[in-house]
Amino acid sequence: MADQQEEEVNRLENVTLNIAVAGENGAGKSSFVNAVRDLKDTDEGAAPTGVTETTMEPTMYPHPTLPNVNLWDLPGVGGPDFKAENYMTDVKYQNFDFFIIVSAGRFMENDSMLANKIKENNKNVYFVRTKIDFDVTQEEKKGVTEEATLQKIRNNCHENLRTLGPPPVFLITSSNLERFDFPELVNTLERNLPNNKRDALVMSLPVYSQQCLDQKYNTFKKAVWAVAITSGAIAAAPVPGLSTACDIAMIASFLTKCYYSFGLNDKALERLSQRVNKPILAMVRGSALVRAIAEESSLATKVAARLGAAGVIETLCIFVPFAGNIAAAGISFVTTRSVLLEGVNELYSVAKRVIEMAEIN
Ligand SMILES: Nc1nc2c(ncn2[C@@H]2O[C@H](COP(=O)(O)OP(=O)(O)OP(=O)(O)O)[C@@H](O)[C@H]2O)c(=O)[nH]1
Ligand SMILES: [Mg+2]
């Protein structure tokens, strides 16, 4: 039983997801990686982008808040000397869960060759046609509707990739993931991932729609019981004081993860505010839980460090305001579970208000 519990927590904490992003030089790979990590191109830790900022070797970009989810920005596949075979070996394809091939215009022969190699190596490959915002704007100037432009691009991509099936192509723009096909791409990725990796993916993506937020909410709710069950297991350990310390650290760490995943941190909110041109940030500070998490840089460590038998309940009350009625006798599985659930619910309702105010779908 203990093994099972440990495995469940490992499943949530330690599952790794390595996503490879490939494509021609200048296709928009680095920008895509930044968008998925919810970073602006100019943010610290963002992949360098621009017409001359060529990515020369595979570079790993860990997710800002889920360090086991990594996006790999691969070098361009262009050039006359390109060999799909060498490329796959050079980038150590075994390490990746799946590949995304990005193109800003027609998919080229190199893209198809690479896709074939990826499939031969039993990995999934997905096609993303990016910079759609640019195409739509250009075509609009000529009086072509957005719908007609999208259809034209879809047909064109299918034509380019006809030797491959033709596979589905997802139309996106890195400057605004909620427009176009990004949600569809995520649904498809999810369908093809094993359960544990699917959860990691859902938790890691920026909030780009109400549906996406709901999926995250469900994933965190599902995770609650596993976290609570482990805290129950620890409570059975014969070290007085330790169990509560672990519980609180675990609660704080779990809710912090949820807070980031729901996009409630300053950076994510600022980015969203700018994008939709609305002052969302100030409103969110109305939630005591959000404030408590935002004000602590490493909540879990601080909580654990400050714990003494007497301080436990007060500490918990600071971070989880509605937990004031927890009995000092100890925190049971049921209590931990309800504290976690209430925390997730509160964060969800704040995130939902943000989405409503931002008027995303
Ligand atoms: N309008 C628009 N421009 C984009 C989009 N994605 C990328 N760009 C621009 O396209 C240029 C190239 O983007 P990068 O992300 O650096 O491309 P890359 O594939 O990483 O390039 P290399 O590393 O050189 O192979 C940059 O100037 C980006 O700002 C997009 O969705 N829309
Ligand atoms: Mg690049």
Side-chain angles (χ1 to χ4, degrees):
M1 185 62 194
D3 278 359
Q4 256 178 30
Q5 288 160 4
E6 205 173 307
E7 207 178 293
E8 187 60 31
V9 170
N10 282 344
R11 189 179 80 81
L12 293 163
E13 295 286 324
N14 299 333
V15 58
T16 57
L17 184 64
N18 285 298
I19 304 170
V21 181
E24 300 266 339
N25 287 335
K29 302 178 290 294
S30 303
S31 306
F32 179 75
V33 165
N34 290 339
V36 173
R37 293 170 76 224
D38 205 14
L39 293 177
K40 282 189 284 197
D41 291 343
T42 47
D43 279 345
E44 202 187 320
T49 59
V51 271
T52 55
E53 288 281 4
T54 304
T55 310
M56 299 302 280
E57 37 188 272
T59 313
M60 184 183 92
Y61 292 95
H63 189 270
T65 53
L66 295 167
N68 300 324
V69 177
N70 301 313
L71 279 124
W72 289 81
D73 190 353
L74 300 187
V77 295
D81 297 332
F82 170 77
K83 299 265 183 311
E85 189 111 36
N86 298 353
Y87 187 86
M88 286 299 279
T89 321
D90 289 349
V91 302
K92 301 195 172 55
Y93 72 91
Q94 310 90 317
N95 296 336
F96 302 118
D97 290 289
F98 58 83
F99 286 74
I100 292 176
I101 297 184
V102 176
S103 170
R106 311 166 35 85
F107 283 94
M108 301 293 183
E109 211 185 319
N110 283 336
D111 295 318
S112 304
M113 268 157 58
L114 182 61
N116 274 325
K117 254 301 150 249
I118 295 169
K119 284 182 168 173
E120 272 173 34
N121 287 291
N122 296 319
K123 300 274 177 187
N124 283 335
V125 55
Y126 305 91
F127 291 91
V128 161
R129 166 63 162 82
T130 187
K131 306 192 195 178
I132 297 295
D133 56 325
F134 179 76
D135 298 272
V136 166
T137 313
Q138 291 304 105
E139 291 300 297
E140 265 168 4
K141 286 183 195 156
K142 296 186 230 155
V144 184
T145 64
E146 177 175 314
E147 203 175 300
T149 305
L150 298 182
Q151 196 51 52
K152 201 167 104 187
I153 295 174
R154 264 182 235 287
N155 294 343
N156 183 258
C157 291
H158 284 163
E159 181 60 22
N160 293 162
L161 296 170
R162 65 179 183 285
T163 54
L164 290 165
V169 176
F170 302 93
L171 276 41
I172 70 136
T173 175
S174 293
S175 51
N176 198 344
L177 293 183
E178 56 260 19
R179 276 183 93 182
F180 314 122
D181 295 344
F182 186 72
E184 264 312 299
L185 169 65
V186 175
N187 287 342
T188 309
L189 297 178
E190 275 179 48
R191 271 201 302 277
N192 296 337
L193 281 171
N195 281 347
N196 52 350
K197 304 232 174 196
R198 182 179 310 158
D199 289 351
L201 180 76
V202 169
M203 287 177 174
S204 72
L205 294 172
V207 179
Y208 52 82
S209 70
Q210 176 66 50
Q211 192 209 352
C212 160
L213 177 66
D214 288 348
Q215 266 171 309
K216 281 170 181 276
Y217 175 54
N218 288 329
T219 307
F220 275 93
K221 271 202 306 194
K222 211 170 57 186
V224 157
W225 74 267
V227 174
I229 231 173
T230 315
S231 82
I234 291 168
V239 185
L242 177 70
S243 65
T244 336
C246 288
D247 283 344
I248 306 230
M250 213 171 334
I251 289 171
S253 145
F254 183 79
L255 292 180
T256 304
K257 214 172 269 175
C258 184
Y259 156 91
Y260 278 106
S261 182
F262 287 2
L264 296 175
N265 52 313
D266 286 359
K267 264 233 167 83
L269 288 171
E270 265 164 37
R271 199 169 132 85
L272 181 64
S273 301
Q274 274 175 13
R275 216 166 54 223
V276 298
N277 202 17
K278 290 199 167 82
I280 288 151
L281 195 62
M283 181 279 291
V284 168
R285 288 292 175 265
S287 157
L289 179 58
V290 169
R291 260 202 318 274
I293 298 175
E295 281 156 18
E296 293 294 321
S297 52
S298 62
L299 197 56
T301 331
K302 287 194 179 171
V303 174
R306 279 167 56 184
L307 279 174
V312 169
I313 297 306
E314 292 90 295
T315 313
L316 189 58
C317 294
I318 294 171
F319 299 118
V320 190
F322 36 75
N325 56 354
I326 288 180
I331 305 174
S332 68
F333 164 75
V334 176
T335 328
T336 309
R337 189 171 155 275
S338 76
V339 168
L340 287 169
L341 268 184
E342 279 185 70
V344 173
N345 281 337
E346 169 152 355
L347 294 175
Y348 172 69
S349 73
V350 175
K352 212 170 141 133
R353 285 215 316 276
V354 170
I355 289 213
E356 278 159 17
M357 280 189 63
E359 291 173 31
I360 303 174
N361 69 5

